[in-house]
Amino acid sequence: MKIKVAIITSILLIVGFFVWAETSSKEKFSLAKDFPNGALVYLQITDLPQFIKLWNESKLKEKYLNSENFSGLQKRHLGIKIAERWNDWSNAVGFSLDLQTLGSLGEKQAAVAIYDVGKLDIVFVAPMNETVFSATMFAQNSGDFEEISLDDKTTAYVIDAEVERQKQKQKVIFANIKGRFVLATNEKLFLQTVSQITGKQKKQSLYDEPNFKKMSERITPNLATIWLDQERLNSDYYFKRYWLMSDVEDLQNIQAGIFDISLGETGLTEKREFLLKESQNLGQISNAEAQDLTRNIPENVPYFHLQKVEEKQLGEAIYETILDKKEVKNLRRSPSRNWSYEDYSYDDNSYEYENYHYLNSDFDEEINQIDEDENIEEKPFQTNQFVSALGSANPTIILTATSPKILESPMFVEFRKVAIVSLKNPNNFQSNHFENTIVKALKHRITVADAKFEWTTENEFRKLNIPMLGWEIGYQLNGSKLFVSNSFEFLQECLANENKREISANGMSQLTVINLTNRKEHFDNVMKILSNENGNFFTGNLASMLDVFADVKQIEVRRKSEDNFLQEEILAK
């Protein structure tokens, strides 16, 4: 039970999105002036007591606590570490740091910052008068803390918490300073925060950091606002190892980010702003262009992505459409003639055997494998060859869509995909060049010797059957639009469709739409097959999160760039 309470409380501190309130533009990030600079993550909530009250009364709370996603988080290293640390702090102060306790720590606005994600060094600040402070659990249990006198004669209270399974100690310090309740887990950070509040330090607050100023000027806080020093997080060992859910390479161009969440009549909206090291001039999509391309996508398709053409994305999008997944660089190890038992590691009578990979050569042979005692590098297919094949036709916008189809016998999922490319000069489209590029990509992927690929024409579209693999690739130039698909059936459906969507691009450079209306058909059954009914962590958790947000019927992600800023807006309806 303690683990559950600790994780819930931590989640609420990091993501708060159930309160609707707006602050004046002048004072919208005034609390950031109380925090010393150097924060990695900063979260500001506009009404902490109301936020916790609404969470406790929401249906979402019950759904999430009973979900596989939450159960999985409790078992992961990150969830266990947060829960253990939270319990360590609770044991040290002598009372539970539960939601009720946290709700009493702010009259309304509150903020928390993380300065070290490994040590969990944090600072919490909330405006609070003396009467409210005296009623908090901290003030009522202050007799258990050591009293220290600050320079202005204010009393602070400190206690040592045994953390990391009682191997280390961490301070828990609190005080009420000039109408601010301050709680910190690091003595230096606490004293720096006091200096900011009392005015002893000038221009050394989080608010004064250049990147924070740039980002905070571009957004108005609503429900909750989170700021990240992404450049420093990218080089943080604990963030990369335990917090990050994707490849850090995807974040290398981001210096800082700020996210704001609001709740309105149209649903939940998250706005994101990123400060980039290198600008991305992606161009903008007009409403007419968006409606022209999306009208060919059937209404029941659960996912589509629309974006202005950029060379790298264009080549990768076509490659992934016809060959299903990204091409990655890999090393193929030639067969060893010996047993391999290197890199064993022993810990508490357990062992790992990830590199115990070989029995004998009969178990390690591949078609056309070269029998040499060396690593052979397989270079990825250069997807920019598709850009070259389409260059003379001047592609401007590309739409990709995915429609999963469950095959009854055997139970399998076919991910039907289509790419629709808008061409400014369709008369310059070079079909032979395009077909030859597709064949090159296939030969790079297929290791069957002497494979022959022949294009045929049927019902006005070109098709390529690959019976040895059960694959099929088709395309058709229809007016100014090039349709490419890995499914003849799906290609024909898109060509025949004339669905007038009510869609607005609003000058965005990218638009992603996830349609959850037919969730059972498109997501639940697919996840069930992919996990093979064995509770696979990823697929099980994805389906579990959809259960939590069962009332959401559609998610839209909009993106546009402006100089060194990238804007994202996520709308859940």
Side-chain angles (χ1 to χ4, degrees):
M1 184 62 185
K2 285 186 177 181
I3 290 179
K4 177 178 286 191
V5 170
I7 295 178
I8 296 169
T9 306
S10 302
I11 291 171
L12 292 177
L13 280 176
I14 294 175
V15 182
F17 52 89
F18 296 97
V19 185
W20 172 257
E22 292 189 359
T23 57
S24 67
S25 176
K26 184 178 179 180
E27 297 296 327
K28 59 185 182 179
F29 286 104
S30 59
L31 271 182
K33 298 177 181 179
D34 296 337
F35 287 80
N37 56 24
L40 296 173
V41 182
Y42 171 81
L43 166 66
Q44 180 174 299
I45 299 175
T46 52
D47 193 334
L48 180 61
Q50 182 68 7
F51 148 60
I52 292 177
K53 179 177 181 293
L54 291 179
W55 165 257
N56 283 329
E57 296 174 354
S58 70
K59 295 180 180 178
L60 182 63
K61 174 185 176 182
E62 182 179 355
K63 289 181 179 179
Y64 182 67
L65 297 185
N66 293 323
S67 70
E68 291 182 22
N69 190 275
F70 179 71
S71 177
L73 176 61
Q74 288 179 295
K75 299 171 184 176
R76 288 185 58 229
H77 177 88
L78 176 61
I80 293 172
K81 181 179 177 66
I82 292 175
E84 287 181 347
R85 185 60 57 90
W86 209 269
N87 289 331
D88 291 339
W89 292 337
S90 294
N91 292 334
V93 300
F95 52 88
S96 178
L97 295 174
D98 55 18
L99 296 185
Q100 183 177 354
T101 301
L102 291 179
S104 68
L105 298 184
E107 294 182 45
K108 192 170 184 180
Q109 200 175 32
V112 62
I114 301 176
Y115 289 82
D116 190 309
V117 297
K119 297 178 180 177
L120 289 179
D121 286 338
I122 68 169
V123 174
F124 174 89
V125 177
M128 182 180 293
N129 63 46
E130 191 65 34
T131 302
V132 176
F133 171 69
S134 62
T136 65
M137 291 293 293
F138 281 92
Q140 292 178 10
N141 289 270
S142 59
D144 298 331
F145 290 70
E146 177 188 352
E147 295 186 11
I148 57 175
S149 181
L150 304 179
D151 292 342
D152 63 351
K153 306 304 180 183
T154 300
T155 300
Y157 303 88
V158 59
I159 198 168
D160 284 328
E162 294 184 339
V163 299
E164 296 293 340
R165 301 180 183 180
Q166 300 182 342
K167 295 177 182 178
Q168 299 179 19
K169 292 186 182 295
Q170 186 174 36
K171 301 288 186 183
V172 177
I173 315 170
F174 74 93
N176 194 34
I177 304 167
K178 291 199 169 188
R180 293 284 198 272
F181 174 78
V182 180
L183 176 66
T185 60
N186 178 286
E187 187 173 4
K188 181 180 178 180
L189 289 172
F190 174 80
L191 293 175
Q192 289 176 334
T193 304
V194 171
S195 296
Q196 291 299 139
I197 295 174
T198 57
K200 289 185 177 180
Q201 288 186 339
K202 302 292 184 181
K203 301 296 182 181
Q204 296 185 47
S205 71
L206 173 62
Y207 185 85
D208 296 311
E209 287 192 17
N211 284 349
F212 186 90
K213 272 197 166 183
K214 288 179 184 179
M215 304 305 291
S216 61
E217 289 172 355
R218 298 179 63 86
I219 208 161
T220 298
N222 291 292
L223 305 164
T225 308
I226 303 173
W227 179 83
L228 305 173
D229 188 337
Q230 191 62 57
E231 188 169 18
R232 288 177 58 212
L233 284 171
N234 288 342
S235 59
D236 187 277
Y237 171 82
Y238 288 95
F239 175 76
K240 292 187 292 184
R241 185 172 178 84
Y242 299 117
W243 290 68
L244 190 61
M245 296 296 142
S246 61
D247 191 343
V248 71
E249 293 298 325
D250 298 336
L251 306 174
Q252 287 300 327
N253 193 37
I254 301 176
Q255 293 187 61
I258 193 166
F259 314 145
D260 181 73
I261 305 168
S262 61
L263 187 62
E265 294 181 359
T266 58
L268 189 69
T269 301
E270 179 183 354
K271 293 183 178 180
R272 301 176 178 180
E273 293 269 356
F274 297 98
L275 177 63
L276 306 179
K277 296 178 183 178
E278 298 180 6
S279 60
Q280 295 181 349
N281 299 315
L282 303 178
Q284 297 183 351
I285 301 172
S286 68
N287 289 339
E289 291 172 323
Q291 291 172 3
D292 180 51
L293 284 176
T294 57
R295 68 187 176 91
N296 292 109
I297 302 301
E299 188 69 32
N300 64 346
V301 167
Y303 170 88
F304 67 83
H305 176 74
L306 183 69
Q307 70 176 63
K308 291 289 287 187
V309 162
E310 189 179 12
E311 285 192 4
K312 181 180 179 182
Q313 279 74 18
L314 175 63
E316 289 181 350
I318 295 177
Y319 184 89
E320 291 171 27
T321 296
I322 60 176
L323 292 174
D324 197 40
K325 64 179 181 180
K326 283 187 178 180
E327 179 77 356
V328 295
K329 179 179 178 180
N330 66 83
L331 292 175
R332 187 178 70 211
R333 183 182 296 275
S334 62
S336 166
R337 298 304 177 188
N338 302 306
W339 292 76
S340 175
Y341 53 89
E342 56 196 20
D343 295 333
Y344 268 82
S345 64
Y346 294 86
D347 182 25
D348 296 331
N349 297 319
S350 65
Y351 61 92
E352 298 177 2
Y353 49 92
E354 293 178 349
N355 292 318
Y356 188 58
H357 58 81
Y358 190 74
L359 293 177
N360 62 51
S361 59
D362 293 336
F363 292 87
D364 198 25
E365 292 183 355
E366 298 177 7
I367 297 175
N368 297 334
Q369 180 170 322
I370 298 174
D371 187 12
E372 296 178 0
D373 292 331
E374 61 179 3
N375 287 329
I376 304 164
E377 182 176 333
E378 294 182 351
K379 295 182 179 179
F381 179 77
Q382 299 301 309
T383 57
N384 59 5
Q385 295 182 59
F386 286 108
V387 180
S388 175
L390 296 175
S392 60
N394 197 358
T396 57
I397 303 172
I398 183 170
L399 180 148
T400 55
T402 302
S403 179
K405 181 180 180 181
I406 296 177
L407 307 178
E408 294 182 1
S409 180
M411 285 295 285
F412 195 72
V413 181
E414 176 190 6
F415 288 95
R416 307 184 306 166
K417 296 186 177 184
V418 68
I420 307 176
V421 186
S422 179
L423 305 176
K424 190 174 182 179
N425 301 308
N427 292 333
N428 293 338
F429 172 66
Q430 300 175 15
S431 58
N432 288 337
H433 191 177
F434 185 65
E435 291 178 4
N436 290 337
T437 303
I438 292 177
V439 170
K440 284 182 183 179
L442 284 168
K443 287 183 176 180
H444 186 271
R445 279 287 299 273
I446 297 174
T447 57
V448 178
D450 301 323
K452 295 182 180 179
F453 305 97
E454 295 183 1
W455 289 90
T456 59
T457 302
E458 182 179 317
N459 297 328
E460 298 185 354
F461 71 83
R462 296 283 285 169
K463 59 187 296 187
L464 180 64
N465 275 308
I466 314 169
M468 68 193 77
L469 299 176
W471 292 0
E472 52 190 31
I473 296 172
Y475 80 90
Q476 180 175 329
L477 182 63
N478 189 343
S480 63
K481 292 182 285 190
L482 174 67
F483 292 72
V484 186
S485 180
N486 66 349
S487 164
F488 300 154
E489 178 187 52
F490 193 36
L491 177 61
Q492 290 175 318
E493 289 176 12
C494 293
L495 285 166
N497 193 74
E498 289 289 337
N499 175 38
K500 293 185 178 180
R501 292 177 179 268
E502 294 295 328
I503 193 166
S504 175
N506 289 330
M508 295 291 168
S509 57
Q510 294 183 17
L511 171 65
T512 301
V513 176
I514 302 172
N515 183 5
L516 300 173
T517 304
N518 298 319
R519 182 194 140 183
K520 181 174 179 61
E521 175 187 354
H522 292 139
F523 291 96
D524 292 2
N525 291 338
V526 170
M527 292 301 109
K528 183 178 180 181
I529 293 175
L530 291 180
S531 62
N532 198 26
E533 301 185 34
N534 286 327
N536 176 274
F537 178 82
F538 174 76
T539 55
N541 273 261
L542 180 57
S544 175
M545 284 306 294
L546 292 176
D547 284 334
V548 173
F549 298 99
D551 294 335
V552 175
K553 302 302 180 186
Q554 182 172 294
I555 299 172
E556 292 184 9
V557 182
R558 301 171 179 271
R559 175 182 288 189
K560 68 177 178 180
S561 61
E562 176 185 331
D563 298 326
N564 280 69
F565 293 96
L566 179 65
Q567 302 173 18
E568 282 187 354
E569 183 177 83
I570 302 173
L571 177 61
K573 300 179 180 180

